[in-house]
Amino acid sequence: MRPRETARRLLGLTAGLTVAVVTVAGCNGTSQGGSTQGQGGKGAAHGAIDYAWWGGASRNEKTNAVISLYKKAHPKVKIDGQSSDFDAYWEKLNVEAAGKNLPCVPQMQARELNDYTKRHTLMPLDKMVKSGAIDVSGIPKNVLDTGRGTDGKLYMIPYGAAYDGIMYNKTIVTKAGLPTPPTNFTWDWYTNWLTQAKAKLPKGVAASNLDGGNADVFISYTQSQGASLFKGDKLGFSKSMLAAYWNMWEKLRKSGATISAAAQADQGTDTPLEQSFMAQGKVMSATTPGNALEDAQNAINGVKGGKLAITTHPFGSSGLGNVLITSGLSISANCENVPTAASFINFFTNDAKGAHAFSSDNGAVTVTKLLDAQINDPKTTPEKKEELEVYNEIVDHKAPVIVYPSGYTSVFVDAYTRAYQDISFGRKTVAQAVDSFFKEADADLQQG
């Protein structure tokens, strides 16, 4: 199944840009007709700003609905909205960052943030929060802090929080006579559950995807064991911890509890959701983004594959390790209309009608009262409600905040996955792959 959107690109990549201008064009690069006065962001909203985000047709429609609401409330503002798919978005943004010509309001993701703060292409927002231009009082602290850079300053206002969890087919679980994951289930419970399921599942159904190469699960594992993913710009966990984790997955793979290494590689990371093993009813469980539940259920309904559910990752000796992967809005250092940019970000983050129109499309809405309103809205689908409630559970368990150094993507999207494939295809032992990964990670993070 396609994972939650994670950028797969190198800084400076310039090829293959496909960008769609979604709303009214008219600005180029930064902004027009506004003011740079006051880094506190106070001032009348007027003039033009450009705003860029990633997403498909459905998100474009919802984003444009929010823009329309903002323009209705601020008729003197003109917004040039630009959207592209996820990979093309970051390719374009990298080019613009190199040219100091970012959109006035670029959408950011916590994991990518410091690729841009390191180059001083984003504006710290702390003074705008202090002045009241941007209200963050409704956002839990551990969610808001995901928008901070390595220098501790706030560069992104998180408006949506995604997470990875364990998606499972409740129908298959029940028919196999297995329990559903209980509250606070542990890693041992989880691996035993998968192992026991193997002998009870129908032919052609595996207990799990082979998720040893999925870095998002390992991140939760490290945090649940009391370790840190990073210490500054270096790895924060031990070789022995990674070896133990990969050995856990190898034991599951060799027992037949997971799909094969070849099947996992064939599924890759770009398989459309409706073609994934989970949505086809060919696995009992898989690590999956929480906000994929509704779409996955719609897909599996087409093959009458049962009822899906989502829960957290397992608990470890230090509790729940699930991290939140937030998306939010920033202001570029080259923005020439800061008051309007701040006004737009404040509206996008806090306006009730805007939040209703956007419907937590890019992760759970981060302002607590808006989240509660969506959970309690009778029009919210059961799957969306379940996704949002699991988010609440993760926040309540004090989701750890990770400050991702520059170079995260090349290490944990590329090198990590490749290293585990070397193990599962028999090209390296676990010890050899761990050594190779640490060597490559150290080099990439130093260069990042």
Side-chain angles (χ1 to χ4, degrees):
M1 179 177 291
R2 182 183 177 90
R4 176 190 11 72
E5 295 159 330
T6 305
R8 295 175 174 274
R9 82 279 181 236
L10 298 175
L11 294 176
L13 187 62
T14 59
L17 306 186
T18 54
V19 180
V21 176
V22 177
T23 58
V24 181
C27 314
N28 182 21
T30 55
S31 56
Q32 297 175 350
S35 170
T36 59
Q37 292 181 355
Q39 297 299 296
K42 282 288 191 179
H46 71 285
I49 58 170
D50 40 5
Y51 164 46
W53 71 92
W54 66 82
S58 175
R59 185 171 302 161
N60 292 342
E61 181 179 348
K62 293 174 181 176
T63 303
N64 279 320
V66 179
I67 291 174
S68 294
L69 288 168
Y70 177 80
K71 290 169 68 176
K72 185 176 181 180
H74 302 83
K76 295 182 179 180
V77 174
K78 185 177 182 180
I79 296 179
D80 173 17
Q82 304 168 0
S83 172
S84 53
D85 66 39
F86 190 72
D87 287 342
Y89 175 82
W90 293 106
E91 292 170 9
K92 178 176 182 289
L93 211 66
N94 286 328
V95 174
E96 293 172 336
K100 308 294 183 186
N101 191 35
L102 284 173
C104 201
V105 179
Q107 183 166 279
M108 279 284 151
Q109 194 173 78
R111 291 179 170 182
E112 320 301 329
L113 187 64
N114 286 311
D115 286 338
Y116 295 87
T117 63
K118 184 177 181 180
R119 292 189 283 176
H120 307 291
T121 56
L122 299 179
M123 190 177 293
L125 307 177
D126 305 83
K127 291 182 179 178
M128 298 175 209
V129 171
K130 187 176 181 180
S131 74
I134 300 176
D135 181 10
V136 299
S137 62
I139 303 175
K141 184 179 185 304
N142 55 338
V143 179
L144 180 65
D145 285 346
T146 62
R148 297 191 183 279
T150 55
D151 59 3
K153 296 179 181 178
L154 188 65
Y155 290 93
M156 178 187 82
I157 305 299
Y159 73 76
Y163 61 88
D164 270 18
I166 303 295
M167 187 178 290
Y168 61 96
N169 190 313
K170 191 181 293 185
T171 303
I172 291 177
V173 169
T174 302
K175 285 183 177 179
L178 294 163
T180 56
T183 302
N184 298 3
F185 66 103
T186 65
W187 288 98
D188 284 344
W189 187 95
Y190 173 60
T191 55
N192 288 333
W193 184 57
L194 298 181
T195 303
Q196 292 172 11
K198 176 182 172 296
K200 299 180 178 180
L201 298 177
K203 185 178 180 181
V205 178
S208 173
N209 273 355
L210 181 56
D211 284 327
N214 184 333
D216 291 322
V217 198
F218 178 65
I219 293 170
S220 288
Y221 181 84
T222 59
Q223 301 296 137
S224 74
Q225 305 299 326
S228 298
L229 191 62
F230 298 107
K231 288 183 179 176
D233 59 358
K234 296 182 178 180
L235 297 178
F237 53 89
S238 66
K239 286 186 177 181
S240 61
M241 177 173 286
L242 179 56
Y245 179 77
W246 275 341
N247 277 321
M248 178 185 80
W249 278 105
E250 281 300 278
K251 185 177 180 180
L252 289 168
R253 182 183 68 82
K254 292 175 179 177
S255 74
T258 71
I259 62 173
S260 68
Q264 185 67 53
D266 285 344
Q267 181 171 237
T269 58
D270 296 326
T271 299
L273 180 68
E274 63 272 14
Q275 297 176 19
S276 68
F277 293 127
M278 192 77 225
Q280 290 293 313
K282 295 180 179 178
V283 293
M284 182 185 77
S285 69
T287 285
T288 308
N291 60 4
L293 178 61
E294 189 166 20
D295 288 341
Q297 185 63 61
N298 290 335
I300 204 169
N301 286 343
V303 296
K304 298 181 179 179
K307 177 67 176 174
L308 303 181
I310 189 82
T311 186
T312 66
H313 281 155
F315 283 63
S317 57
S318 293
L320 181 62
N322 271 89
V323 298
L324 298 173
I325 302 97
T326 55
S327 296
L329 302 180
S330 298
I331 299 179
S332 63
N334 55 275
C335 180
E336 296 177 353
N337 194 351
V338 173
T340 302
S343 168
F344 178 68
I345 290 175
N346 187 59
F347 184 92
F348 203 109
T349 306
N350 291 293
D351 186 77
K353 290 183 179 177
H356 179 76
F358 198 70
S359 303
S360 293
D361 188 72
N362 197 13
V365 61
T366 55
V367 174
T368 302
K369 69 178 181 182
L370 301 179
L371 176 71
D372 291 343
Q374 290 187 15
I375 290 175
N376 294 322
D377 187 341
K379 293 182 179 178
T380 300
T381 65
E383 292 80 15
K384 176 60 73 174
K385 182 177 180 180
E386 184 173 344
E387 170 206 329
L388 299 179
E389 288 176 335
V390 173
Y391 161 79
N392 255 345
E393 181 180 353
I394 294 171
V395 173
D396 288 345
H397 279 283
K398 303 186 184 307
V401 176
I402 296 178
V403 177
Y404 298 90
S406 180
Y408 163 82
T409 300
S410 64
V411 172
F412 278 100
V413 176
D414 299 326
Y416 179 89
T417 302
R418 187 174 354 101
Y420 181 68
Q421 284 183 342
D422 284 342
I423 299 170
S424 59
F425 278 95
R427 295 189 288 262
K428 289 183 179 178
T429 66
V430 169
Q432 289 171 335
V434 168
D435 285 342
S436 297
F437 172 73
F438 266 72
K439 184 177 181 179
E440 188 171 348
D442 286 344
D444 286 354
L445 292 173
Q446 291 298 319
Q447 291 175 1

